[in-house]
Amino acid sequence: DRYPLGHPLVLSLGVVAGNAHVVNPLLAALFTILASLIAREFAGKVAGSATALVSLGSPFLVAVSGTLLSHTTSLSMLTLFLWAGLRATRRHAHLGWAVLAAVAFGAAVIVRPSSAVIVGAPLYGLLAARSWSLADRWRRWIVFFGTGACMAGVQMALNLIVNGHPLLSGYMVYWLPREELRSPFGFGAFPWGIVHTPATAWGNTWHNGLRLAVWTFGWPLSLVVPLLASLGLRRRRTLWLAAAGWFPFLPMAFYFWPGLSDVGPVLFTETLVAWLPLTGIAVAAVGVRHRSTVLAFLFAGVVVVPWAFHRLEAPRLA
C-alpha cells in the first residue's frame, strides 16, 4: 500500500488487544504527559501543569486522537524525540537519552516522513543550540546520529521488503507511475481536478492557519498567546520551539492537497508539539504571582471550551 508501515504497526497492537480505536487516545495521553514535561523543562512546574490542562481542553487534539489517522502517532513520537533530546542536552546526561531521541525521531519518520522532517528541522536546531556549549557534544551527536542511521536502515529494510527497493517508498511506487502526479509538492494540475497555483497555495495556507488558531484551544486567535510568549521571553530556545509551529506552513504551501477539515487542519497536527508547551510557558510567565487563579481559569477552560466549541463547529460539520 502507499502508506508508511509505522502507523499500521502501531494500530496492530490495538487489534491484538481487541480494539484499534484505543491506540490514538492512549497516544494522545502520552503526548499530554510529554508536552507537560517539555514545558516543565523550559519554565518549571507551573508551565508543566498549565500545558497538561490546555492539552486536555484542546478540541484539535481530542478530535484527531478520536480517529484512526496516523497524525497522533507522529505527534507523540516527535514529542518523545523532543523530550528525550532535551534530557540528552543536560550536562552529564546519560547517552541513553540521545539513543531514545534518535529512535523516536526515526519512528516518526517511519510513520509520516514529510511531517517528521518538516516539524523536526526546527527541533533539531533547538537541540543543537542547547548542546553547543557542552564539552562532550561530539560524543552525544555521534551516538544520536549513529542510532539515527540504524533507524534509517530499518526504513530502507521496510522499503526493500514491501516495495522491492530500499529507496522506494510506498508513495513513490503508488504515485510516480501515474501520469497525472509528478510530485505532491509544486504547482500545476493534480488528481481529482485540483489545480494548484500560488493563489490556491495562499488560500490553503490562510485557511489552515485560521482553523489551527481556532481548533487548537477552541477560541479565535488562540495561537497569539504562545507566539507572544516566544517573542516576549526573548529566549533563543523558545524561538526555536515557535519555529516548529510556524515553519511547516512554508513547505506545506507547496503541497497540492488542501487537507482534511472535519477534525481540524490535520496536516498541521504535529505543530502541537510546539503550540501547547509554549502556551504553558506563557501561562507560567504571567502567572507566577497568581498561579492559583491562572490554573483555575485553565481548568474551567477544560470544561467550558469543548462545549462552546462544539456548539459553534458542529453545525458546520453536519
Side-chain angles (χ1 to χ4, degrees):
D1 193 82
R2 81 195 80 165
Y3 298 109
L5 290 178
H7 185 58
L9 287 174
V10 173
L11 287 181
S12 68
L13 299 177
V15 173
V16 171
N19 188 354
H21 288 274
V22 304
V23 172
N24 275 351
L26 290 176
L27 289 174
L30 173 64
F31 162 78
T32 300
I33 295 171
L34 293 174
S36 66
L37 292 174
I38 289 169
R40 182 172 180 171
E41 186 81 15
F42 279 110
K45 294 182 179 180
V46 175
S49 300
T51 299
L53 285 175
V54 296
S55 298
L56 290 173
S58 171
F60 191 17
L61 180 62
V62 172
V64 174
S65 63
T67 70
L68 292 177
L69 296 172
S70 62
H71 301 79
T72 309
T73 303
S74 177
L75 171 64
S76 62
M77 291 300 100
L78 282 172
T79 311
L80 179 59
F81 156 64
L82 176 57
W83 176 66
L86 292 173
R87 296 297 299 265
T89 56
R90 289 180 174 181
R91 295 189 183 277
H92 310 298
H94 194 281
L95 291 178
W97 289 112
V99 173
L100 178 59
V103 169
F105 184 77
V109 171
I110 294 174
V111 173
R112 291 184 59 80
S114 297
S115 297
V117 172
I118 291 171
V119 178
L123 300 181
Y124 266 104
L126 166 62
L127 298 179
R130 278 176 57 101
S131 63
W132 188 255
S133 62
L134 298 177
D136 61 341
R137 62 180 180 275
W138 293 109
R139 186 162 64 104
R140 303 187 196 203
W141 291 354
I142 289 172
V143 170
F144 177 82
F145 286 107
T147 306
C150 294
M151 293 300 297
V154 172
Q155 176 66 77
M156 289 190 289
L158 292 174
N159 288 341
L160 178 62
I161 294 171
V162 177
N163 305 312
H165 193 282
L167 300 181
L168 282 179
S169 67
Y171 271 109
M172 294 170 68
V173 171
Y174 183 85
W175 285 116
L176 291 185
R178 296 169 177 254
E179 184 177 327
E180 67 270 22
L181 185 59
R182 311 164 309 282
S183 166
F185 292 89
F187 299 124
F190 290 92
W192 310 296
I194 296 176
V195 178
H196 194 41
T197 66
T200 59
W202 166 251
N204 292 340
T205 301
W206 180 251
H207 176 75
N208 281 318
L210 289 178
R211 290 186 66 80
L212 183 64
V214 174
W215 277 73
T216 301
F217 299 118
W219 49 276
L221 302 180
S222 54
L223 294 185
V224 170
V225 174
L227 177 62
L228 292 179
S230 62
L231 296 176
L233 293 176
R234 297 184 181 277
R235 295 178 182 175
R236 183 182 304 174
R237 57 188 184 181
T238 54
L239 290 176
W240 278 113
L241 191 57
W246 285 115
F247 173 72
F249 281 91
L250 179 60
M252 292 303 293
F254 295 93
Y255 186 46
F256 83 99
W257 180 247
L260 300 173
S261 61
D262 51 349
V263 290
V266 293
L267 295 178
F268 295 89
T269 301
E270 288 83 353
T271 63
L272 293 179
V273 68
W275 296 129
L276 294 179
L278 275 173
T279 302
I281 294 169
V283 170
V286 301
V288 172
R289 296 182 180 179
H290 309 283
R291 64 181 62 182
S292 298
T293 302
V294 171
L295 292 178
F297 178 79
L298 290 176
F299 181 77
V302 171
V303 178
V304 175
V305 166
W307 174 82
F309 177 82
H310 180 267
R311 289 182 63 86
L312 290 172
E313 290 292 327
R316 303 180 187 181
L317 304 179

